[in-house]
């Protein structure tokens, strides 16, 4: 897939992994609509990246805001050919103790928000003649973690949704893959102890740009892959990882 002048939407694109993805795609010549609720961060990133990036406020659980984001991308750059569903939240709680509203919030943002993004963006991708959707899941979509039931459920669900979308959208020349980061140094993981990565073959937190390069590979190079998991985790899924505890 030639990336130059293609239009992308990156959710959660204002900071962390999303910002790294945005920067990487812009560097490849793409035009990126940064979609987030962090207005100051998003606008600042768009200003820094120049005319190939713009910002739109997006709560990924809001249908009207999704429609407005797709319209904004089309009006600014043309039909959307790449969607990166990166927005996500993390909340701790054992199954017996977690507040139901907290569980539902994680599912709504991480899973329903990605479904809604695909639902709203596919018509634009059809107008573009095809494209690629990358759903950012997690190693928590490949294995279990204690005290993270909501997050694990949302990321396993996203992995399964990716496979169904790949089957349904193949006739439209739209590929759908999932990317599964392990522990990455972002604001979401700030305060986590180094013990999180102690059992990995690569004993450090990953960098957002390492995930971004994987996303760029999936979008631009993995043209015979759809419904596939791409893992960037320092080897975390090679064996048993420690239980993750809420930062103090």
């Amino acid at each position: 897939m030639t990336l130059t002048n293609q239009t992308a939407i990156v959710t959660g694109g204002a900071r962390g992994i999303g910002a790294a993805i945005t920067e990487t795609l812009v560097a490849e010549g793409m035009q990126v609509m940064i979609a987030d609720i962090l207005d100051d961060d998003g606008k600042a990133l768009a200003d820094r990246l120049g005319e190939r990036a713009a910002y739109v406020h997006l709560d990924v659980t809001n249908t009207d805001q999704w429609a407005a984001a797709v319209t904004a991308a089309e009006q600014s750059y043309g039909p959307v050919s790449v969607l990166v569903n990166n927005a996500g939240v993390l909340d701790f709680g054992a199954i017996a103790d977690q507040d139901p509203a907290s569980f539902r919030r994680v599912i709504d943002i991480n899973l329903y928000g990605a479904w809604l993004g695909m639902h709203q963006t596919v018509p634009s991708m059809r107008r573009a003649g095809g494209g690629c959707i990358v759903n950012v899941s997690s190693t928590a979509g490949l294995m279990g973690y204690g005290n993270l039931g909501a997050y694990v459920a949302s990321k396993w669900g996203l992995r399964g949704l990716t496979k169904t979308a790949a089957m349904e959208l193949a006739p439209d020349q739209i590929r759908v893959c999932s990317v599964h980061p392990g522990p990455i140094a972002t604001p979401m993981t700030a305060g986590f102890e180094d013990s999180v990565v102690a059992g990995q073959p690569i004993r450090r937190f990953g960098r957002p740009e390492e995930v971004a390069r994987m996303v760029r590979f999936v979008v631009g190079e993995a043209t015979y892959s759809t419904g596939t998991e791409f893992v960037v985790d320092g080897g975390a899924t090679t064996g048993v990882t420690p239980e993750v505890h809420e930062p103090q």
Side-chain angles (χ1 to χ4, degrees), residues 97-187:
D97 302 324
Q98 186 173 19
D99 179 70
S102 171
F103 183 93
R104 181 60 182 268
R105 173 176 175 267
V106 174
I107 297 295
D108 282 350
I109 294 172
N110 295 3
L111 181 56
Y112 173 66
W115 175 87
L116 188 57
M118 292 190 286
H119 176 74
Q120 291 288 314
T121 307
V122 163
S124 185
M125 285 195 167
R126 287 172 172 158
R127 290 191 288 273
C132 182
I133 298 171
V134 179
N135 291 323
V136 180
S137 180
S138 167
T139 53
L142 300 168
M143 57 190 295
Y145 286 88
N147 297 313
L148 285 173
Y151 189 72
V152 169
S154 71
K155 294 303 187 178
W156 275 80
L158 186 55
R159 177 187 174 197
L161 182 62
T162 296
K163 292 184 179 297
T164 293
M167 296 168 62
E168 294 180 356
L169 298 176
D172 296 304
Q173 306 302 313
I174 298 172
R175 294 184 300 109
V176 191
C177 294
S178 56
V179 169
H180 297 256
I184 307 297
T186 68

